[in-house]
Amino acid sequence: MTRLLRIALAGLALALAAPAAHAQTGRDVPPPAQTQNPNGANPTAGAVTEDQLFRELNKLQGRISIPDGKAAVLEQPQGREWRAFRESWLPWIAGVAILGMAALLAIFYFTRGRIRLEHGEQSGEKILRFNSFERFTHWMVAFCFIVLAISGLNYILGKRLLMPLIGPDAFAAWSQWAKYAHNFLAWPFTLGILFMALVWLRDNIPNRIDVQWIRQGGGFLGDGHPHAERFNAGQKIVFWTVILGGFAMFGTGLLLLFPFSAADINGMQLSQVTHATIGVLLTAAILAHIYIGTLGMEGAYDAMGSGQVDLAWARTHHDLWVEKEQAKTASGPQLRPRATPAE
Amino acid sequence: MRVMLISAVAAILVATGAAFFLGQEQRFAYQAFATTGARVTPSSNLVGPRWTGDPDVPSKSGQITPPPG
């Protein structure tokens, strides 16, 4: 009787210890000696282990009868790598890219200062730089991009930076609306990118003039301004960054918007990594674009604000373009002083 | 300034259209990810519309709610 009681107690102790060991190690505990066959052989010794399956298949999956096909995958180690990127690396990449760019621009502003109009850049005569459709396209993309960037950064940094400030309830409500804005404004953003590509692609093909412009540092190095057509090399870099980045964001965003419609779990994770990384880099690049278009350079905003710029400014910064435009009209500048471009 | 305002309004209009069309494609999670056997729909399985266990008993409004597709 005492022996039976001892065996029962030992069995109970093992039953209690095994789950605890599993919780600590995450692995199955080897079967105790008492469960082996009476002849001494372990009947599961030759069975396939979890580690062997991972090595052979790279994931554990089976067959299911419900419509959710991805539920067939029981374990997928790549998911841990994605989670590590999403929770550890990505917030740092976003923070360094955006705060780093803001710091660079601040340093540039306080050391170089605002690029002022030179005396010779003000003639009083105006030339139409961007027509109303071009400005419409630019501002539609700009409006959408600002909302997309803020709501996108909320996915990455919101729970870390915003939620402690406004509390979980307000953060949940804000995030819900931010998500709607992100999903729906992505469409006019893409439409605007498409329009941009159509109206500006021809003027943004790189050529030898751009090489010379870069060699002269866009006018910052050496004397005088380098020649430039309608867009200089710096503007072409911004254009291609926005076009390629914008279409990449649309492609990966489409995969995220329709989950598992064209990608499996690995594809979804890859899409999220690509979408988020390009998104934060694009946001940092556009910060520089906003700076140079507003605070950084006097007169630059007019080109996209009213559409017209001073003829002397245009001759200084885009001399080859002005020559072409004047050759087209053969009557000097398109706009006289105080004239308003056609809307 | 006028072009800026028009572009913002156009963006909101396109976004509203996108919201409408995307909403048409939306399905509830229980429709997308489970078969009828696993759905907790009181009208067609489990407890019935009056929580009596009989799905054929009409609800108070007198109608048997059809099971979701």
Side-chain angles (χ1 to χ4, degrees), chain A residues 33-71:
Chain A
Q34 284 87 343
T35 59
Q36 288 183 350
N37 276 352
N39 61 12
N42 181 354
T44 60
V48 179
T49 65
E50 188 177 309
D51 283 341
Q52 283 174 317
L53 276 173
F54 275 147
R55 277 199 295 275
E56 292 297 321
L57 305 171
N58 220 17
K59 61 185 169 185
L60 294 185
Q61 65 179 354
R63 281 182 294 181
I64 54 168
S65 58
I66 60 172
D68 185 9
K70 67 182 183 300

Side-chain angles (χ1 to χ4, degrees), chain A residues 65-68 70 132-133 135-137 139-140 143-144 183-185 187-188 191 257-258 260 301 304-305 343, chain B residues 1-4 6-12 14-16 18-20 22-23 25 31-35 38-39:
Chain A
S65 58
I66 60 172
D68 185 9
K70 67 182 183 300
S132 47
F133 182 72
R135 282 179 284 140
F136 166 82
T137 300
W139 288 118
M140 187 161 81
F143 171 73
C144 295
N183 289 355
F184 301 147
L185 281 172
W187 299 90
L191 192 65
L257 205 53
F258 298 96
F260 301 102
Y301 174 78
M304 208 44 88
E343 289 288 345
Chain B
M1 195 60 172
R2 196 175 66 171
V3 173
M4 285 173 73
I6 291 171
S7 67
V9 170
I12 291 168
V14 174
T16 308
F20 176 77
L22 288 173
E25 294 295 313
Q31 293 171 317
F33 298 134
T35 52
R39 291 176 196 165

Side-chain angles (χ1 to χ4, degrees), chain A residues 163-228:
Chain A
M163 194 165 74
L165 295 176
I166 63 174
D169 291 340
F171 178 70
W174 146 252
S175 295
Q176 176 99 22
W177 286 103
K179 177 187 174 292
Y180 287 143
H182 200 86
N183 289 355
F184 301 147
L185 281 172
W187 299 90
F189 171 78
T190 308
L191 192 65
I193 294 282
L194 192 64
F195 287 155
M196 271 187 180
L198 290 174
V199 296
W200 287 333
L201 187 70
R202 195 182 55 179
D203 294 323
N204 278 284
I205 308 287
N207 56 33
R208 287 180 183 174
I209 299 165
D210 300 319
V211 177
Q212 197 60 32
W213 191 92
I214 291 170
R215 275 185 185 162
Q216 293 186 41
F220 286 106
L221 309 173
D223 299 325
H225 286 278
H227 295 296

Side-chain angles (χ1 to χ4, degrees), chain B residues 3-47:
Chain B
V3 173
M4 285 173 73
L5 287 175
I6 291 171
S7 67
V9 170
I12 291 168
L13 285 177
V14 174
T16 308
F20 176 77
F21 284 109
L22 288 173
Q24 300 288 310
E25 294 295 313
Q26 199 81 341
R27 283 190 300 164
F28 290 103
Y30 69 79
Q31 293 171 317
F33 298 134
T35 52
T36 51
R39 291 176 196 165
V40 183
T41 47
S43 59
S44 60
N45 63 7
L46 297 182
V47 294

Side-chain angles (χ1 to χ4, degrees), chain A residues 78-151:
Chain A
Q78 296 93 320
R80 295 175 202 153
E81 292 162 19
W82 170 74
R83 189 177 57 194
F85 173 82
R86 172 79 176 76
E87 297 299 318
S88 302
W89 284 93
L90 186 56
W92 281 103
I93 292 171
V96 168
I98 291 166
L99 293 179
M101 178 59 80
L104 278 177
L105 293 173
I107 290 168
F108 187 78
Y109 178 76
F110 288 116
T111 54
R112 172 68 174 81
R114 194 174 194 205
I115 301 168
R116 299 278 178 190
L117 281 174
E118 294 167 20
H119 182 68
E121 293 178 6
Q122 297 179 63
S123 67
E125 283 186 293
K126 299 286 183 182
I127 184 169
L128 182 64
R129 180 112 174 95
F130 295 113
N131 65 32
S132 47
F133 182 72
E134 288 172 319
R135 282 179 284 140
F136 166 82
T137 300
H138 173 272
W139 288 118
M140 187 161 81
V141 170
F143 171 73
C144 295
F145 185 83
I146 290 168
V147 180
L148 290 170
I150 292 170
S151 54

